[in-house]
Amino acid sequence: PSAAAAAASPFAPAAPSLPPSRLFELLPDGRTVHKEAPPDNGGMAAVAKALGRIGLQSYAAAFDSEGFDDIEFLLGLDSAERAAVATATGMDAKPGHAGKWVKFGFGEP
């Protein structure tokens, strides 16, 4: 039998079901929605504001495009982790900017 016929067989194993999610709910029409509102992490507005306070606002779009949009997460990074963010966002192309971010984060120099 052809592969298509075998796939359509009523004896084919069922597709594995996913475990229930604690964050999302599958609606009868197939859409997935949050069970409850996601936590307010300040979003990109908070990250852009913090970058502006330290003179690195030009990197806001890069932070956003790389998914660094959680201010609490960013505040918890150590210097090695901040160095990885500098590389991911292209900040390391300007060593002065990267050095400032890596050494101080969102703190004042």
Side-chain angles (χ1 to χ4, degrees):
S2 72
S9 169
F11 302 108
S17 63
L18 298 174
S21 170
R22 58 185 182 82
L23 300 177
F24 300 100
E25 176 180 359
L26 181 63
L27 298 178
D29 64 2
R31 291 180 299 135
T32 303
V33 296
H34 283 277
K35 286 184 178 178
E36 55 189 61
D40 181 12
N41 61 17
M44 248 341 276
V47 173
K49 184 176 177 181
L51 286 167
R53 279 196 311 269
I54 59 172
L56 298 175
Q57 62 275 7
S58 62
Y59 297 97
F63 271 63
D64 189 26
S65 70
E66 295 300 323
F68 296 112
D69 58 359
D70 182 335
I71 192 73
E72 294 302 319
F73 170 78
L74 292 168
L75 289 170
L77 299 178
D78 63 26
S79 62
E81 293 166 326
R82 287 193 300 273
V85 170
T87 299
T89 58
M91 192 183 292
D92 58 350
K94 292 192 175 185
H97 290 175
K100 181 178 182 180
W101 163 252
V102 170
K103 185 169 183 178
F104 302 107
F106 288 123
E108 295 296 321

